Amino acid sequence: MADETAATETGAPQASHEIPDSENNGAKRKKLLSILAIVVVVVAILWGLWYFLTQAGRVHTDNAYVGADSAQVTALVPGPVKEVRVAGTQAVKKGDILVILDDADQRIALADAEAALRLARQHYSQADATADAARARVAARGADIAQAKARLRDANATVERARAELARRESIAGTGAVSGEELTAARAALASASAARDLAAAGIASAEATRGSASGDLGAAEAIVRGTTIDTAPDVAAAQARLEKARLDLARTVLRAPVDGIVTNRAVQVGQRIAAGAPIMVIVPIGTAYVDANFKESQFGDIRIGQPVELTSDYYGGDVVYRGKVVGIAGGTGAAFSLIPAQNATGNWVKVVQRLPVRIALDPEQLKAHPLRVGLSMEATIDTRGN
């Protein structure tokens, strides 16, 4: 009994010490939980504030790729390749010589066209001279007609005189004052004058016929040169056009870069004979590159043309942030314009969220400082808050 009392007396103080320790631990736990709750709330508030200030109203996609309106270089005239001055991946400027073709055939064609032009000018000058000669012949035939008419008038006068002489002699033939010989001579003179008159009349007809022939020649000659000059004559103009084409074909034997950019897909070698229209290389204008970002259809509620865009590329990493703006939205999804469009009117239809391409223009200065390449992947974030 004494032992139990001693044990009780000994245990009483121990229980009195354990109760305050557990209360202290509970208080500390509650304090820590309160502090943790406050920290969580503060973090949540800060995150919400950060999201509202920086992320709210922004749509993001990593399905974006760099593109450019590449220029395909093609040969416009056929011929063997004489010289290739660029290599793949080489940067070129607009107007730089890329390829030179052998121009022997084009030079011969140019010489032939120049000769044809000179010949056409010569023919025109000849036709003009022929027209002038025809005019002179018509004028000469007019003078011949005037002379023939004058001879006819003289012949008529001679006939009248001969007729009067014959009539006078015949009136006095019965008196014996005129011999038979004189009467015969008067009759012969009248016949001769009549014949001369008929010949003069025939001369007029002949001169008029000759003038008609000359007038026809004049019309034919004038038809070639009427209303034209040596530069506007059809034959001369056609020859001039052939000459210009020959010069153009000769100039086209030197192929130049149409734009600034990088040479890719070079498919031409020295000695190779290329046909007109054959593609030989592609020039990629990286200075005017753009981005096609494929956003989900559910993200287009606030996307508008002109909105600012931030972009990053794996090529440079997150340290380089490109600034751009939305310049266009495609007229249809990629699936709609694919070679074999999806047929959803079947029994095995499953809804798939579609993506619509958005064209984003980049800052030229940033492209100059950090050039991109076609096909690189990008991450794009459109700020729609200013909508």
Side-chain angles (χ1 to χ4, degrees):
M1 190 67 180
D3 293 338
E4 292 178 357
T5 303
T8 303
E9 292 178 355
T10 304
Q14 292 179 354
S16 64
H17 287 298
E18 288 179 357
I19 293 173
D21 288 342
S22 60
E23 290 179 354
N24 291 335
N25 291 336
K28 289 179 180 180
R29 190 181 300 109
K30 289 181 181 180
K31 185 176 181 179
L32 289 174
L33 291 175
S34 300
I35 293 173
L36 181 61
I38 293 172
V39 170
V40 171
V41 171
V42 171
V43 170
I45 292 173
L46 291 176
W47 182 88
L49 184 62
W50 170 83
Y51 182 85
F52 178 78
L53 294 177
T54 63
Q55 302 301 314
R58 294 159 63 93
V59 290
H60 173 82
T61 184
D62 58 0
N63 189 351
Y65 303 93
V66 178
D69 295 326
S70 301
Q72 189 174 55
V73 180
T74 59
L76 299 180
V77 293
V81 177
K82 181 179 180 182
E83 185 178 351
V84 180
R85 294 193 177 182
V86 295
T89 72
Q90 180 176 337
V92 295
K93 296 291 185 181
K94 181 178 180 180
D96 287 351
I97 296 177
L98 305 175
V99 177
I100 299 177
L101 304 180
D102 190 336
D103 59 0
D105 293 340
Q106 284 74 22
R107 289 188 180 279
I108 293 173
L110 177 61
D112 184 65
E114 289 174 343
L117 177 61
R118 289 193 294 269
L119 183 62
R121 286 179 172 273
Q122 187 180 55
H123 285 169
Y124 182 87
S125 299
Q126 183 178 3
D128 195 19
T130 301
D132 291 340
R135 292 188 192 94
R137 287 196 298 272
V138 170
R141 299 295 80 79
D144 291 343
I145 292 174
Q147 290 178 358
K149 288 182 177 179
R151 286 194 294 270
L152 178 60
R153 288 192 297 270
D154 182 65
N156 286 330
T158 302
V159 167
E160 293 302 323
R161 286 196 301 271
R163 183 177 291 112
E165 288 293 330
L166 178 60
R168 186 174 63 80
R169 283 177 171 74
E170 285 179 344
S171 64
I172 61 175
T175 62
V178 178
S179 64
E181 184 178 352
E182 289 179 344
L183 188 58
T184 300
R187 287 174 179 158
L190 177 60
S192 176
S194 297
R197 182 185 61 183
D198 294 340
L199 182 62
I204 293 174
S206 177
E208 289 178 344
T210 303
R211 186 177 67 175
S213 177
S215 297
D217 294 340
L218 175 60
E222 284 184 337
I224 299 176
V225 299
R226 184 183 298 116
T228 62
T229 64
I230 194 170
D231 293 322
T232 61
D235 291 344
V236 176
Q240 183 68 42
R242 288 192 292 270
L243 176 60
E244 294 299 327
K245 183 180 183 303
R247 287 174 179 167
L248 183 60
D249 289 344
L250 179 60
R252 284 173 171 172
T253 58
V254 178
L255 282 72
R256 299 179 181 273
V259 295
D260 298 348
I262 304 296
V263 176
T264 59
N265 292 344
R266 201 196 84 170
V268 61
Q269 301 294 335
V270 175
Q272 175 185 354
R273 182 173 182 85
I274 57 178
I280 59 176
M281 66 183 66
V282 175
I283 307 295
V284 179
I286 60 174
T288 57
Y290 53 81
V291 172
D292 283 331
N294 302 298
F295 285 91
K296 297 178 181 179
E297 54 187 319
S298 58
Q299 296 176 302
F300 276 84
D302 295 324
I303 294 179
R304 301 290 184 270
I305 293 176
Q307 290 174 339
V309 187
E310 292 183 357
L311 305 102
T312 58
S313 171
D314 293 341
Y315 191 71
Y316 293 106
D319 294 336
V320 178
V321 179
Y322 291 90
R323 307 292 177 182
K325 67 176 181 178
V326 177
V327 295
I329 300 174
T333 64
F337 297 105
S338 63
L339 184 61
I340 304 178
Q343 295 295 325
N344 294 331
T346 64
N348 299 324
W349 176 77
V350 176
K351 181 178 180 180
V352 177
V353 177
Q354 300 297 316
R355 290 180 178 267
L356 195 64
V358 175
R359 179 66 55 86
I360 300 171
L362 300 176
D363 185 356
E365 294 299 325
Q366 287 187 306
L367 281 175
K368 186 176 181 181
H370 300 92
L372 295 169
R373 297 296 186 269
V374 173
L376 292 179
S377 58
M378 304 282 287
E379 292 188 13
T381 302
I382 301 177
D383 187 353
T384 64
R385 290 174 296 181
N387 185 26

